[in-house]
Amino acid sequence: MPVDALPYRYLAVDGPIGVGKTTLVEMLAQRFEGVKILEDVDNPFLEAFYHDRPGTAFQTELYFLLTRYKQQLELAQGDLFDPIRLADYTFAKSRLFAYLNLVDDELMLFEKLYELLEPQLRGPDLLIFLTADVETCMARIHKRSRDIEQNISADYLAQLIEAYNHHYYHYDRSPLLVVDSRNLDFEHKPTDFEELLHHITRPIRGTQYFVPAQSTL
C-alpha cells in the first residue's frame, strides 16, 4: 500500500487501559511510514497512585497533563509536509481521567489549567476509538505484564470504560471510527489489520463503526 494512501495527516487512537492503542499505532506507523507520538508512561507518581497512596492522584494527573501538552504542542506546530502523525492518546484523556480520580477542589484547579492549555492544541483529523469490555482489557493488561499495572482493579477499569464510552458517545470534534476490539487481534491476525486499513483509507465523516466482515456471518 503506498505511504500516501491514508487521507489524514494526524490520526489518534484512544480507548481504555489495555485495549491495544499503542500496538495499533505502531503498526500504522510502520505501514504508512508515519511518526509515532506515544504517551510518556514514565510518570514518577503513577506507581504510588496505583497503590492508592493518599494525595498522589493530583500529582499523577498534573504530570500527565503537562507532558501531554508538551507533546501535543509540538504536533500542533507541524506543517503540511510533515510525515503522517499517529498518536496513542488524545489530550482530552487528561480531563477524562481527572474527573475519575480527583476530588472537587483538585478538579477545580485542574480545570482552570486545562482550559488554558487545550485551545492551543490541534485535534486529530481522524480519531479511532477502540472499545472492549472489562474482561478483555484485564486479560490484555495481564498478558503484557507491566509491573506498574498489576494493581489495577476490575472496578476501576469498569469506571474507566464507562467514562470513555460516555465521552465518545458525545464526541463531535473530528471524524470518529468506533472499533469493537474484543474479537480483533491486529498484531497476530493480518486479516483484521488489513480490513481496518481498507476502512480508514477511505474518507470518514461523522461517526462510523468498524464491523469486521466475519462478525456478520
Side-chain angles (χ1 to χ4, degrees):
M1 181 177 295
V3 298
D4 61 348
L6 197 62
Y8 310 100
R9 304 311 305 165
Y10 170 29
L11 186 152
V13 180
D14 205 1
I17 300 168
V19 80
K21 303 180 293 294
T22 304
T23 296
L24 180 56
V25 164
E26 289 175 340
M27 294 178 69
L28 290 170
Q30 182 176 6
R31 174 62 66 96
F32 295 105
E33 298 182 5
V35 174
K36 295 180 292 186
I37 303 165
L38 304 182
E39 183 167 39
D40 178 6
V41 296
D42 295 324
N43 185 325
F45 306 105
L46 190 58
E47 184 174 3
F49 169 73
Y50 281 147
H51 282 88
D52 202 24
R53 295 179 190 168
T56 56
F58 185 68
Q59 295 168 320
T60 302
E61 298 306 337
L62 190 61
Y63 182 91
F64 273 134
L65 177 72
L66 296 177
T67 54
R68 289 166 184 155
Y69 171 73
K70 182 177 182 296
Q71 281 187 315
Q72 294 286 312
L73 188 62
E74 293 172 355
L75 188 153
Q77 294 169 346
D79 61 39
L80 183 64
F81 301 102
D82 286 339
I84 295 168
R85 307 297 179 94
L86 300 131
D88 68 348
Y89 71 97
T90 67
F91 191 66
K93 177 178 182 177
S94 292
R95 175 180 268 173
L96 191 153
F97 274 78
Y99 272 86
L100 191 63
N101 296 319
L102 301 184
V103 297
D104 288 348
D105 56 344
E106 295 171 337
L107 191 57
M108 178 186 67
L109 293 174
F110 183 94
E111 271 287 351
K112 288 182 180 297
L113 184 56
Y114 183 92
E115 289 173 1
L116 285 173
L117 301 178
E118 193 272 340
Q120 304 174 49
L121 304 179
R122 171 188 174 186
D125 301 319
L126 173 66
L127 201 154
I128 298 177
F129 172 40
L130 298 180
T131 70
D133 55 21
V134 173
E135 292 75 15
T136 300
C137 289
M138 289 294 288
R140 291 173 181 172
I141 289 170
H142 291 149
K143 183 178 180 180
R144 69 190 185 191
S145 298
R146 294 177 184 169
D147 290 341
I148 201 170
E149 295 178 342
Q150 298 311 303
N151 289 311
I152 297 175
S153 70
D155 287 343
Y156 178 76
L157 197 52
Q159 293 177 55
L160 183 60
I161 290 171
E162 182 179 357
Y164 265 104
N165 290 341
H166 180 269
H167 174 73
Y168 283 112
Y169 181 80
H170 298 281
Y171 181 83
D172 61 0
R173 301 190 67 173
S174 74
L176 174 67
L177 181 65
V178 181
V179 178
D180 183 344
S181 73
R182 288 175 297 177
N183 297 311
L184 298 174
D185 188 346
F186 297 122
E187 186 176 12
H188 300 108
K189 292 173 61 179
T191 54
D192 287 349
F193 185 57
E194 294 299 328
E195 201 171 344
L196 178 68
L197 291 182
H198 178 72
H199 201 90
I200 65 174
T201 51
R202 297 175 296 171
I204 293 174
R205 296 178 177 84
T207 297
Q208 295 185 17
Y209 296 85
F210 173 63
V211 180
Q214 62 268 25
S215 69
T216 63
L217 299 178

